[in-house]
Amino acid sequence: MVLYSKKGNIKGMKEKISIPLVQKLVAYSRKDPVRFHMPGHKGGKGLPRRLKALMEKNLFRWDVTEIPGMDNWHSPEGAIEKAQRLLSQLYGADHSFFLVNGSTSGVMAMLGAALERGSKVLLPRDSHKSALMGIILAGAKPVYLKPEVDLELGVATGVPLDEWKKALDLNPDAKAVFVTNPTYQGFCPPASEIAREAEARGIIVLVDEAHGAHLVFSKKLPSSAGKFEIDAWVQSPHKMLCSLTQTAWLHVKGGKLKLDKIRSYLSLLTSTSPSYILMASLDITRAVMEKIGKQWVEKGLELAERARKMINEKTPFYCVGRELKGRGGISDVDLSRLMINVSSAGYTGFFIEKVLRSKFKIYAEYADYSNVYFLLTGGNTWSDVAKLVSALKRFPARKNKLKPVIFPCDIPVCAMDPAEAYFSPGEKVKLEDAVDRIVKDALIPYPPGVPLLYPGEIIEKQHIEAILEIQSKGGYCQGIKNGFVTVVKNG
Ligand SMILES: Cc1ncc(COP(=O)(O)O)c(C=O)c1O
């Protein structure tokens, strides 16, 4: 049933109403796009039909609040508590929390619960920005670990185990370590060894597994960190499973983290009217995965493996695979996502992503300077893969490979803790005039997506040169707007 005319008017209504976002969504879904982006349900495909119909039919009927009998997310004792218990049984946790504000809120809450003002946390510099926000909120002291960067692929690969051990030895007073498993690229760190080393020193282990809610369902995938000696882990089932966008869950085990403290942080970061639709989607996803999790996950993996083989054989591009295991901090690779390196065939990832979208209606998850990324789940089909391979075959190899962008990777000088810089008065200055100033917001150039400077760190000439070079090659830098950067006000 078409409810809206092409202009976005509601059919049957005389007066024009303006619904620009809805117009965009209508236009997008009418295209019948090939969805390789999140959420993992891919427009609801692949879900058991009766469950999908149940959600669709009841959207408005289930949109309730904390009416009597419906339990209360902020202090659950009834249905929400029971649903969370079923979830923790599935994932092997002692306690699980439904989240309606993404893994972002879970990462911040577990950091907040583990850390006190001034306590040290070890984490790779390319951790998700929610980790930085959690550190700012807690007023903690980050000790950054430098990830290795693969100069051919133009991305950070990870922090080798030796570097983790060195950092743990140098910081015996650290309160927690923060690990990401897997990264956006699907690279898994040596999480079990890091966890063992940290736990042996009495240090809390927190894992951002936003991209790994599917890992527990197949032995063909890298292990979920939940299997190791860790204290808490956060997952976004909307990424690789089938829940609605913005849903996530947080698992806790052992007694090092206090549940009350986590709950208090989550309450701080979440609406007082959490959506029952989102919570219902989490409950359904847990139930679906209990029944067909293996099937769902292995379908996505099999499609990705077939796509990888065909892309490597029949197109000029390189789709990375298990050969990356063991390189620069990578202990395993999640092969249910495709990371396609296009710079080796002379293209930027930005260009390929745009052409696939505009000419072939194929939507990638993300592109950087050198690569394009595609997520495959049980919601994708063989036809999706065939369309992707056929489109990629249309690009001829170019003579010249693109050179990676050189990036100063040394850890910069830190003048203030992130929280102090973040809450200090700031001013905008031209990037070229910002030498020796303290940044207020993280400056994150893409590529490679690793923060060049975190709040509280000092801008040097080499950082400015690197940003200008990245921009000149078509990349961009988060934290720079119209050539201006926000720094801590002097005096
Ligand atoms: C590594 C990582 N952690 C955390 C998040 C935040 O997840 P969410 O979008 O569910 O808030 C993301 C988002 O993409 C991410 O890539």
Side-chain angles (χ1 to χ4, degrees):
M1 185 172 55
V2 181
L3 281 176
Y4 301 97
S5 73
K6 273 199 174 141
K7 286 184 179 158
N9 296 346
I10 294 184
K11 284 203 167 162
M13 263 194 173
K14 287 220 178 88
E15 68 274 25
K16 270 193 166 183
I17 58 163
S18 180
I19 38 176
L21 176 59
V22 173
Q23 267 178 274
K24 282 280 176 204
L25 291 166
V26 169
Y28 173 71
S29 47
R30 266 194 195 142
K31 262 189 223 176
D32 194 18
V34 184
R35 302 179 192 228
F36 288 110
H37 57 77
M38 300 166 196
H41 61 67
K42 315 284 173 173
K45 289 185 206 152
L47 282 176
R49 253 187 304 145
R50 276 175 49 206
L51 278 176
K52 185 179 167 230
L54 193 69
M55 276 296 276
E56 282 174 349
K57 207 171 93 194
N58 291 295
L59 185 64
F60 281 96
R61 280 187 273 203
W62 289 356
D63 188 21
V64 296
T65 184
E66 287 99 347
I67 50 176
M70 215 50 78
D71 208 0
N72 183 329
W73 178 84
H74 288 271
S75 53
E77 291 175 343
I80 296 175
E81 171 62 15
K82 197 168 169 194
Q84 292 184 155
R85 226 177 310 126
L86 290 170
L87 174 64
S88 50
Q89 281 162 17
L90 181 64
Y91 278 89
D94 291 340
H95 193 93
S96 299
F97 295 87
F98 278 179
L99 308 177
V100 294
N101 197 15
S103 278
T104 299
S105 62
V107 165
M108 291 171 76
M110 68 181 180
L111 281 162
L115 304 170
E116 270 124 39
R117 207 150 280 274
S119 45
K120 270 191 193 171
V121 53
L122 309 188
L123 75 168
R125 256 184 106 71
D126 59 338
S127 301
H128 186 254
K129 66 178 176 191
S130 53
L132 171 66
M133 295 318 293
I135 286 167
I136 289 175
L137 196 62
K141 232 182 200 351
V143 176
Y144 298 114
L145 279 72
K146 198 170 86 175
E148 295 207 351
V149 172
D150 185 307
L151 289 181
E152 288 295 311
L153 298 174
V155 293
T157 49
V159 177
L161 183 60
D162 281 353
E163 295 301 317
W164 277 103
K165 284 189 192 163
K166 254 190 245 165
L168 284 163
D169 287 341
L170 282 171
N171 297 280
D173 54 340
K175 196 84 199 289
V177 297
F178 181 88
V179 181
T180 301
N181 180 64
T183 63
Y184 212 96
Q185 284 73 24
F187 303 155
C188 298
S192 70
E193 291 89 343
I194 299 167
R196 210 175 312 122
E197 293 286 336
E199 289 284 334
R201 293 162 168 88
I203 295 175
I204 294 170
V205 184
L206 309 173
V207 180
D208 174 353
E209 209 168 75
H211 291 278
H214 60 307
L215 297 179
V216 286
F217 298 107
S218 172
K219 289 200 166 63
K220 296 178 184 168
L221 290 172
S223 296
S224 162
K227 295 228 151 50
F228 309 137
E229 294 171 60
I230 66 169
D231 299 283
W233 65 116
V234 178
Q235 300 171 324
S236 292
H238 70 90
K239 297 191 194 298
M240 296 300 284
L241 302 183
C242 56
S243 61
L244 295 176
T245 300
Q246 219 169 304
T247 56
W249 42 50
L250 164 62
H251 310 290
V252 183
K253 61 181 184 179
K256 285 206 201 117
L257 290 180
K258 297 283 161 271
L259 295 184
D260 281 352
K261 203 167 170 198
I262 296 181
R263 205 168 280 125
S264 151
Y265 264 96
L266 286 176
S267 281
L268 187 80
L269 297 163
T270 306
S271 161
T272 47
S273 314
S275 161
Y276 277 74
I277 298 296
L278 295 184
M279 287 192 274
S281 158
L282 284 171
D283 203 18
I284 286 180
T285 298
R286 188 268 313 150
V288 169
M289 288 304 141
E290 225 167 60
K291 295 275 177 256
I292 61 156
K294 184 170 186 293
Q295 203 180 315
W296 172 274
V297 166
E298 291 190 354
K299 182 184 166 199
L301 179 63
E302 196 188 312
L303 289 174
E305 289 282 42
R306 286 167 78 182
R308 179 172 291 107
K309 190 162 180 289
M310 290 171 76
I311 290 162
N312 284 333
E313 283 172 6
K314 299 185 175 175
T315 80
F317 304 123
Y318 164 47
C319 186
V320 307
R322 49 179 61 75
E323 68 283 355
L324 258 59
K325 258 191 194 186
R327 246 194 243 176
I330 302 175
S331 105
D332 210 343
V333 185
D334 173 12
L335 295 172
S336 47
R337 55 183 59 217
L338 302 176
M339 171 181 172
I340 304 181
N341 178 261
V342 295
S343 57
S344 54
Y347 294 91
T348 68
F350 306 127
F351 175 81
I352 298 289
E353 185 277 332
K354 192 169 167 199
V355 177
L356 287 177
R357 181 164 37 90
S358 53
K359 288 228 167 87
F360 299 95
K361 297 192 289 185
I362 295 174
Y363 282 70
E365 162 59 25
Y366 172 70
D368 60 32
Y369 186 73
S370 306
N371 312 286
V372 194
Y373 303 85
F374 303 82
L375 304 185
L376 284 99
T377 69
N380 285 107
T381 59
W382 168 240
S383 152
D384 295 345
V385 168
K387 284 179 188 160
L388 175 62
V389 175
S390 154
L392 291 174
K393 280 204 283 194
R394 305 273 201 97
F395 296 89
R398 288 179 173 167
K399 255 200 208 140
N400 298 322
K401 277 184 170 193
L402 292 188
K403 288 225 171 73
V405 184
I406 306 302
F407 185 82
C409 245
D410 290 336
I411 308 261
V413 179
C414 179
M416 282 179 182
D417 285 344
E420 196 185 346
Y422 187 83
F423 292 113
S424 294
E427 61 180 332
K428 290 193 188 333
V429 299
K430 255 189 116 204
L431 179 63
E432 287 86 339
D433 299 333
V435 177
D436 290 339
R437 301 296 299 268
I438 301 168
V439 293
K440 253 179 82 65
D441 298 326
L443 298 189
I444 314 176
Y446 290 83
V450 181
L452 185 61
L453 291 156
Y454 267 116
E457 293 175 342
I458 295 177
I459 309 183
E460 294 168 30
K461 196 161 163 260
Q462 57 160 344
H463 300 129
I464 296 171
E465 284 166 359
I467 292 169
L468 294 176
E469 192 192 345
I470 285 161
Q471 287 175 335
S472 75
K473 291 196 168 159
Y476 67 99
C477 184
Q478 201 175 302
I480 307 280
K481 225 174 181 184
N482 302 326
F484 281 78
V485 54
T486 309
V487 295
V488 172
K489 212 168 180 173
N490 278 337

